[in-house]
Each structure stands twice: as C-alpha cells, then as structure tokens.
Amino acid sequence: VQKFLVYFQAYTNTFSKVSSLKDQFATAFQFSDVVGAVVGTRPDCLSDSIFDLWREYSASKFISVELGVQTFNEEQLIWMRRGHTAAKSLRAIERIKKECDVDLGIHLMFGLPGETDRQIIETAKTINGLPIDNVKLHNLHVLKDTPLADDFLNGRFLPIERADYFRRCALFLQHLS
C-alpha cells in the first residue's frame, strides 16, 4: 500500500471549530502518500464553514463524508437521543451532495427496539432515492455506563441475536439498489 486516506472519526469532527479540522487536514495532506480524507459527522453538526472546507479540499483531494444517520425512524431517533430528526438527515444528505463534490456515505444501525423487517425494507427504498455513494451497517451494542446499559441490566432491552442481525442486513441489501 502506497496511498492513504486519513480517517477523521472520533466522535464528530465537525462539532468542534472548523479551524481545528482545517489544521488537521493541512497536517495530513503534508504527506505525499495521503491522497484524501474521510470525515465522520452527524446531520446536526453541519455549518456553512464546514461546507466551505469540504469544497476547498475536494478541488484537489478525495474527500469522503460519512453521515451518522443511524435510522430514518423518528421514534428510534428519539429513543437514541440523537438530537436530530429523519428530515434533518434527508436535508443534510441533499445539501452535501448539492453543494460539495464529495463521496457521501451514511451509517445505519440495525437492532433498534421495535425495528421490523418492513422498516428495513423501507429504509433501503428511501436510500435508493438519495444521492449517496455508500452505506455502512452497524449493529446496536450495549456500552458500559450508558442509559442503554442500565436498560440491558434491568431487562428492559435485549439485543437481537447475531443470526437475526445478519438476516436483517441481507434483507436490507436485497432491497438496496
């Protein structure tokens, strides 16, 4: 391997000052073997200045944006305390692709409470109509010292079984164009 993408993922890189991310980009791109950057962010952490930064760098480098959508189901977004709505995710996707020449991906999370096969299929159909380049699938997992861990320990939440998660991923992919 002789060419690299630098992955800016820790939490959300667009939540802090854009000048900080710009400095990090400048540092990364000093190395000739770094040909691009991947930036993880959220639909509720996009400012005009971040769009300016992406436009500036995408003129000469590969820039990929990974948007943590997680779900398009409003009840699940509220349950996760995401701080954004499905509509905000859709607006962010449209704006990013309209205003920036970046590779755009979204992250989805399967295994949320109340999730159904129908919802998985509808999510794939929604994505089929969006201007995105890739999708990453994640499973919902329980982290220590979180409200979800409390729910898990008290029997109010039970993660889906591995086989069911894989079945939902397959169902999703069967309906994804």
Side-chain angles (χ1 to χ4, degrees):
V1 177
Q2 297 179 16
K3 301 293 179 190
F4 299 90
L5 300 175
V6 177
Y7 195 44
F8 295 94
Q9 178 59 37
Y11 302 100
T12 185
N13 291 283
T14 58
F15 189 67
S16 62
K17 293 184 181 199
V18 174
S19 60
S20 174
L21 184 57
K22 186 172 184 168
D23 290 345
Q24 293 169 1
F25 271 24
T27 299
F29 291 133
Q30 287 178 354
F31 299 91
S32 61
D33 50 355
V34 173
V35 296
V38 181
V39 180
T41 189
R42 299 167 42 112
D44 55 339
C45 294
L46 301 174
S47 64
D48 291 340
S49 56
I50 196 66
F51 282 87
D52 293 340
L53 179 69
W54 292 340
R55 279 191 292 273
E56 175 186 344
Y57 276 93
S58 66
S60 62
K61 301 287 184 185
F62 173 82
I63 302 295
S64 177
V65 175
E66 294 187 353
L67 199 62
V69 170
Q70 312 315 354
T71 181
F72 290 104
N73 180 285
E74 295 298 342
E75 289 177 12
Q76 291 169 339
L77 288 167
I78 291 168
W79 177 83
M80 284 190 286
R81 299 174 183 94
R82 284 292 295 175
H84 65 81
T85 63
K88 189 164 192 109
S89 293
L90 294 170
R91 285 191 305 273
I93 291 165
E94 294 292 341
R95 182 176 180 203
I96 291 168
K97 278 310 252 191
K98 181 180 176 187
E99 295 187 25
C100 302
D101 184 22
V102 299
D103 181 89
L104 178 59
I106 65 170
H107 290 209
L108 295 174
M109 186 178 292
F110 291 166
L112 297 162
E115 182 179 77
T116 65
D117 287 356
R118 185 87 213 121
Q119 179 187 341
I120 298 294
I121 293 167
E122 289 303 315
T123 297
K125 289 180 178 180
T126 296
I127 290 170
N128 290 340
L130 296 174
I132 60 171
D133 301 298
N134 60 76
V135 179
K136 280 189 179 179
L137 301 179
H138 298 275
N139 62 304
L140 176 63
H141 59 278
V142 178
L143 297 175
K144 290 180 183 178
D145 302 321
T146 64
L148 183 56
D150 293 338
D151 286 351
F152 174 73
L153 292 172
N154 292 316
R156 293 186 300 265
F157 174 75
L158 182 63
I160 63 171
E161 296 293 326
R162 183 184 313 191
D164 197 31
Y165 173 77
F166 290 143
R167 185 188 59 74
R168 286 185 181 164
C169 288
L171 181 64
F172 173 79
L173 292 172
Q174 290 167 354
H175 291 87
L176 185 68
S177 64

